[in-house]
Amino acid sequence: MRIVSLAGGIGGARFLRGLKAAAPDSEITVIGNTGDDITLFGLRVCPDLDTVMYTLGGGINEEQGWGRADEHHTVKEELAAYGVEPQWFGLGDRDFATHIVRTQMLSAGYPLSQVTEALCARWQPGVRLLPMSDDRTETHVVVADADGRRAIHFQEWWVRLRASVPAEQIALVGAEDASPAPGVLDAIHNADVVIFPPSNPVVSIGTILQIPGIREAVEEKTVVGVSPIIGGAPVRGMADACLTAIGVETSAQAVLELYGSHLVDGWLVAEEDKGVALDGVAVEARRILMDSPEATREIAAAALALATSLGSTPRRA
Ligand code: FO1
């Protein structure tokens, strides 16, 4: 089976580990969010691509869900000793090597998709990891502060402010001029099923769908999603702050409506959300808490089973 999964950071990467276990003989292509990418100390950092690569390649810091295991922060401490900003983003020594190699290759003219392929040659994630675009796009957040409104990088809002300041607007800068990375549209077109893992529907899945051409391609396919919201709250992360920023209620129903029945054909929700319904969408209530590798494999298997039951020619409302 040819599976395409859109993916953000921690939740998406964890789900993909279960998807690999549930479909060991399938060909899985992951379209990774690059709206979170940031340039720090002259280095290009791609948090969501690295989280997928490290998680599936066995190098992730498991409890954090991002960054490397067995990490040290000597470089970070030395940078701080020089008073270099920002000091709120936790880059570890091992992680720095990834950003140095990536920046070296980007500076030599390699597109991000080829850089990602080169980094994955070491990590062997067991999936084909494609950035959503080779063109630079960044998620910026408009916040109100003492002297009016200002746009800050998503990472500053997410990491330094812990999304504690309301986001008046969340925008993907550069989206309208970006193109899908090579292979992205072909992978979607040739897929038997497209999966939306329980990634952030606004700044991860939603961001990927803003790259011109991707939403239209996905709409042609059978799409099954897993709700990132259980019982009115995100399982992890701050999807609620992002949903509120775009005026969407934090619920499995509201996220399904945000995606819409033209995009999603199947939707897995938790038992406590079994009342969720939308014309044209097959909703299945089951355990969707990814609290163990086995649970995650079962959730992924249920998503694939629902997709199979819906057939590869998508049912349209
Ligand atoms: N998240 C944090 O909450 N604090 C950090 O200091 C931090 C550093 C960091 C470094 C590299 C990386 O790949 C991810 C990092 N993250 C950190 C997570 C990151 O902000 C989020 O995972 C994504 O951007 C959202 O999915």
Side-chain angles (χ1 to χ4, degrees):
M1 181 188 255
R2 288 167 304 206
I3 305 168
V4 163
S5 177
L6 276 54
I10 301 165
R14 289 227 164 109
F15 177 85
L16 288 166
R17 217 167 22 193
L19 184 64
K20 278 175 63 181
D25 304 329
S26 287
E27 181 193 308
I28 301 173
T29 300
V30 177
I31 300 172
N33 171 40
T34 57
D36 291 2
D37 296 3
I38 184 169
T39 297
L40 295 171
F41 319 114
L43 299 174
R44 194 68 179 157
V45 179
C46 300
D48 282 357
L49 295 179
D50 291 348
T51 294
V52 171
M53 183 173 73
Y54 291 155
T55 299
L56 301 186
I60 196 73
N61 178 316
E62 196 61 48
E63 50 283 351
Q64 263 179 189
W66 51 266
R68 287 287 307 281
D70 310 322
E71 191 52 287
H72 304 282
H73 294 84
T74 306
V75 174
K76 184 175 187 300
E77 287 154 15
E78 288 301 304
L79 287 166
Y82 281 112
V84 173
E85 289 297 335
Q87 297 179 24
W88 45 262
F89 199 72
L91 287 172
D93 297 340
R94 295 180 191 275
D95 201 26
F96 265 110
T98 300
H99 313 314
I100 291 167
V101 171
R102 176 183 294 118
T103 305
Q104 201 170 305
M105 289 186 71
L106 289 172
S107 306
Y110 291 97
L112 182 58
S113 45
Q114 288 183 28
V115 174
T116 305
E117 193 175 352
L119 295 172
C120 286
R122 169 191 172 187
W123 289 101
Q124 296 294 311
V127 301
R128 188 171 170 226
L129 177 57
L130 300 175
M132 67 189 193
S133 173
D134 280 340
D135 302 313
R136 180 169 174 167
T137 57
E138 285 183 3
T139 299
H140 285 207
V141 178
V142 175
V143 294
D145 65 6
D147 40 5
R149 293 155 51 111
R150 68 194 173 98
I152 58 178
H153 191 284
F154 167 77
Q155 294 296 351
E156 182 171 357
W157 182 63
W158 189 259
V159 176
R160 189 171 74 80
L161 300 176
R162 307 301 314 155
S164 60
V165 176
E168 295 192 1
Q169 195 187 343
I170 297 179
L172 183 65
V173 176
E176 59 284 348
D177 302 326
S179 307
V184 165
L185 294 183
D186 283 348
I188 296 169
H189 180 71
N190 296 326
D192 297 305
V193 62
V194 175
I195 301 283
F196 288 3
S199 286
N200 188 306
V202 181
V203 293
S204 293
I205 306 286
T207 301
I208 298 168
L209 292 170
Q210 285 186 58
I211 300 299
I214 291 185
R215 174 184 288 271
E216 294 78 3
V218 173
E219 284 181 340
E220 295 308 308
K221 309 307 293 187
T222 297
V223 178
V224 171
V226 180
S227 176
I229 306 295
I230 294 183
V235 175
R236 183 181 175 128
M238 299 168 277
D240 44 347
C242 302
L243 287 163
T244 303
I246 61 167
V248 173
E249 181 197 296
T250 297
S251 72
Q253 178 74 38
V255 173
L256 176 56
E257 290 172 5
L258 175 65
Y259 286 143
S261 59
H262 287 286
L263 193 59
V264 169
D265 303 282
W267 186 238
L268 295 189
V269 299
E271 281 116 343
E272 55 257 63
D273 296 315
K274 64 175 176 296
V276 169
L278 187 65
D279 277 355
V281 180
V283 178
E284 181 180 321
R286 67 177 323 277
R287 200 170 184 292
I288 59 169
L289 190 62
M290 302 190 293
D291 53 5
S292 74
E294 184 48 33
T296 309
R297 190 195 61 74
E298 285 169 9
I299 298 161
L304 292 176
L306 181 53
T308 305
S309 74
L310 294 171
S312 57
T313 43
R315 298 181 308 116
R316 280 283 162 263

